[in-house]
Amino acid sequence: MEQTLAANLFKLLGSLNADTVVFLASLLTLTPMGLVVLIVVFWLIEDRRRRADLSRYRQDMDRILKTYGDDLRLVTGYYKDNVKLVEAYQSLAQSLHDQVVLNTQVMQRMVDAICTNQYCPLGRIPKGDSPMRGGL
């Protein structure tokens, strides 16, 4: 931990201009409270840097949350479109069901007409001798 503290201290001193470093060194050596003032100065510099980082973090999070909200609205639109599609498909399936039932009824009537053969006088089967008894 002391190495990171020293590295941060050297980085901070490297980022300051020469006049500020000389002023801080003279302040440290000339006054008995110089160490306290130096700590306060470093604390203020670090606080300002932390506030800038926090501001950038807030801007990034606002941008990310806005993008996420837009994407979520888009996905919600997809779900709503899918609901419309399912409702249209249900309507189509219901009409198809009705058509299949109607076709089945017509085919049954046609089979009954063919089996009883009541339309052609020469091919009529006598009553009671229906081929339906033995199956098709």
Side-chain angles (χ1 to χ4, degrees):
M1 183 160 168
E2 293 176 9
Q3 291 175 350
T4 59
L5 178 64
N8 287 334
L9 184 61
F10 284 128
K11 185 194 291 185
L12 179 66
L13 288 174
S15 66
L16 298 176
N17 59 15
D19 294 335
T20 306
V21 173
V22 169
F23 172 73
L24 291 176
S26 64
L27 189 66
L28 179 64
T29 56
L30 296 177
T31 62
M33 293 295 291
L35 183 61
V36 174
V37 171
L38 188 61
I39 290 172
V40 168
V41 167
F42 285 147
W43 177 74
L44 289 174
I45 291 171
E46 186 61 32
D47 186 56
R48 188 175 356 167
R49 192 172 292 163
R50 186 186 56 81
R51 287 177 191 256
D53 289 343
L54 185 60
S55 174
R56 280 193 307 271
Y57 174 76
R58 284 184 182 148
Q59 290 172 355
D60 287 344
M61 288 305 295
D62 288 342
R63 181 183 48 81
I64 289 169
L65 288 175
K66 182 184 179 305
T67 304
Y68 178 71
D70 293 343
D71 291 343
L72 195 58
R73 280 188 214 88
L74 188 64
V75 170
T76 303
Y78 291 155
Y79 278 113
K80 289 179 181 178
D81 291 344
N82 283 343
V83 167
K84 290 177 187 175
L85 182 66
V86 167
E87 289 171 352
Y89 184 75
Q90 283 178 336
S91 172
L92 179 67
Q94 183 63 37
S95 65
L96 183 62
H97 175 265
D98 294 342
Q99 187 68 32
V100 168
V101 169
L102 180 65
N103 285 345
T104 304
Q105 290 172 351
V106 169
M107 291 296 287
Q108 184 62 46
R109 286 188 359 217
M110 188 175 73
V111 166
D112 289 343
I114 290 171
C115 287
T116 57
N117 198 9
Q118 297 299 312
Y119 298 107
C120 181
L122 295 176
R124 280 192 189 145
I125 301 171
K127 287 197 177 201
D129 291 337
S130 174
M132 292 296 284
R133 288 186 183 174
L136 289 175

